[in-house]
Amino acid sequence: MSTSASRTVRLRRLSKIVERLRKRAGLTQSEAAELIGVNRSTWIAMEGGKSSPHRSNVRSIIEKFDASPEEAEELLALAARPRDPAWMRPLRGRIPDRYGEYIDLESGALSIKSWEPSLVPGLLQTERYSRAHAERLPGSTPAQVEARVTARMQRQTAFTQRGAPLWAVIGEAALHYDVGGTDVRREQLARLLEASDEPNTTIQVIPFSVGAHASMMGSFAVLSFGDSAPPVVYVETLGGDLFLEEPADLQTFRETYAHLQATALSPADTRAFITKIIQEIEGRAARNGHVALAQE
């Protein structure tokens, strides 16, 4: 497993091995906890990928559950506790925990496929667009706004440096919402055009004209990790963020994403579509400028 994999990915992978060893031994979670000398809640947190186990507990698992040499080596490697990247440390406590967990997952993802019906995806936002959006979130303090913007910009830098593929399908509404004003909107659209030229980024737009389509109920992202861990679907809702890992859920969202890709404009047609919107914005600005001059 890559030493650069995120803490969350490591814990998820470790939890799967621990669960496999327990089931192979034919034990309940309570019995497994008693066998290595921890309480049941500690075992459940470890098997659920919610906490990093002490190295002594990992060694007990290896010994008492007859882990193979390969399993033992991987468990010990996974139990290492990598520190947050330097840019994340000051932000802990100023961004929601679930958002922090998503950032951690994203840092280990080998590819991301995202769907956003009404917002430019975070990995493609300009700083001004990101700030204008963060300022509209209910209850956000100035410090929280700046933390969100910093996190978003640093996420982009880290993701770009890794060169992981990003496939973004975006609803046309995201291109028309006047987030931050006309100048910010125009800058953001230009950024999408620029990103669409990058070798690891694919952007498609679903125009209003297609009518009903496969996912009109909200945004989601499918994060893939290769052999490091199973994929995860991230769903952002007003009631809280969800991380879905069950095979049935993964299948549903993969099929939905395939439908979205098939419904959307091609990457080339998307570029033309965005270019036309930019030209319309510039045309209106020019006309408004002429009117203002005429009135002086």
Side-chain angles (χ1 to χ4, degrees):
M1 181 175 185
S2 170
T3 56
S4 64
S6 74
R7 178 177 185 273
T8 301
V9 174
R10 285 171 176 261
L11 292 183
R12 289 173 62 241
R13 177 61 182 156
L14 185 147
S15 74
K16 298 300 182 185
I17 299 174
V18 168
E19 181 184 23
R20 183 175 72 228
L21 290 173
R22 175 183 64 80
K23 289 182 175 179
R24 193 168 71 197
L27 299 176
T28 66
Q29 290 179 323
S30 296
E31 291 168 339
E34 184 178 357
L35 184 62
I36 69 165
V38 299
N39 59 46
R40 183 172 179 271
S41 61
T42 298
W43 182 277
I44 290 173
M46 179 171 55
E47 192 172 307
K50 302 301 182 183
S51 68
S52 183
H54 292 293
R55 200 168 182 83
S56 60
N57 290 338
V58 172
R59 291 192 181 280
S60 292
I61 291 171
I62 291 170
E63 177 186 344
K64 296 182 182 298
F65 288 81
D66 294 325
S68 69
E70 293 76 19
E71 289 169 331
E73 181 182 2
E74 186 167 14
L75 278 172
L76 290 170
L78 291 167
R81 300 184 182 187
R83 301 175 66 191
D84 286 335
W87 65 265
M88 267 294 291
R89 292 169 206 154
L91 302 181
R92 292 293 185 187
R94 292 198 289 148
I95 58 175
D97 289 343
R98 296 293 270 179
Y99 182 38
E101 186 174 348
Y102 175 77
I103 292 173
D104 195 41
L105 277 171
E106 183 181 83
S107 71
L110 297 183
S111 69
I112 296 177
K113 293 182 177 180
S114 73
W115 156 242
E116 287 284 358
S118 57
L119 185 71
V120 172
L123 289 174
L124 298 173
Q125 291 179 10
T126 66
E127 183 172 343
R128 292 202 296 170
Y129 181 100
S130 178
R131 180 170 286 104
H133 172 252
E135 288 172 345
R136 291 292 184 176
L137 296 176
S140 290
T141 66
Q144 289 170 332
V145 168
E146 290 309 310
R148 281 184 174 272
V149 173
T150 298
R152 197 148 286 172
M153 297 302 102
Q154 292 290 350
R155 282 172 52 203
Q156 291 181 14
T157 299
F159 196 79
T160 300
Q161 287 175 345
R162 286 172 44 228
L166 170 66
W167 197 306
V169 181
I170 307 171
E172 182 179 347
L175 309 182
H176 291 291
Y177 278 122
D178 206 16
V179 178
T182 301
D183 287 345
V184 173
R185 180 181 169 213
R186 180 168 45 195
E187 177 187 66
Q188 179 60 75
L189 291 173
R191 169 61 190 138
L192 289 178
L193 280 183
E194 176 186 320
S196 70
D197 263 343
E198 295 168 0
N200 295 317
T201 302
T202 303
I203 300 174
Q204 291 182 267
V205 166
I206 295 184
F208 294 139
S209 60
V210 305
H213 58 75
S215 183
M216 302 180 70
M217 295 177 287
S219 62
F220 66 88
V222 181
L223 292 80
S224 299
F225 305 93
D227 294 334
S228 297
V232 175
V233 174
Y234 173 70
V235 183
E236 190 174 8
T237 74
L238 285 175
D241 300 343
L242 304 175
F243 296 97
L244 307 177
E245 302 180 58
E246 293 300 321
D249 292 327
L250 293 172
Q251 183 66 19
T252 296
F253 279 92
R254 281 170 166 164
E255 290 178 356
T256 299
Y257 202 82
H259 281 293
L260 292 172
Q261 290 172 306
T263 302
L265 298 173
S266 69
D269 287 343
T270 290
R271 284 183 56 80
F273 192 82
I274 294 173
T275 299
K276 182 179 178 182
I277 294 175
I278 292 174
Q279 290 171 343
E280 290 171 353
I281 293 172
E282 292 174 343
R284 282 195 297 271
R287 288 193 296 273
N288 291 338
H290 289 317
V291 170
L293 287 172
Q295 292 175 342
E296 290 180 356

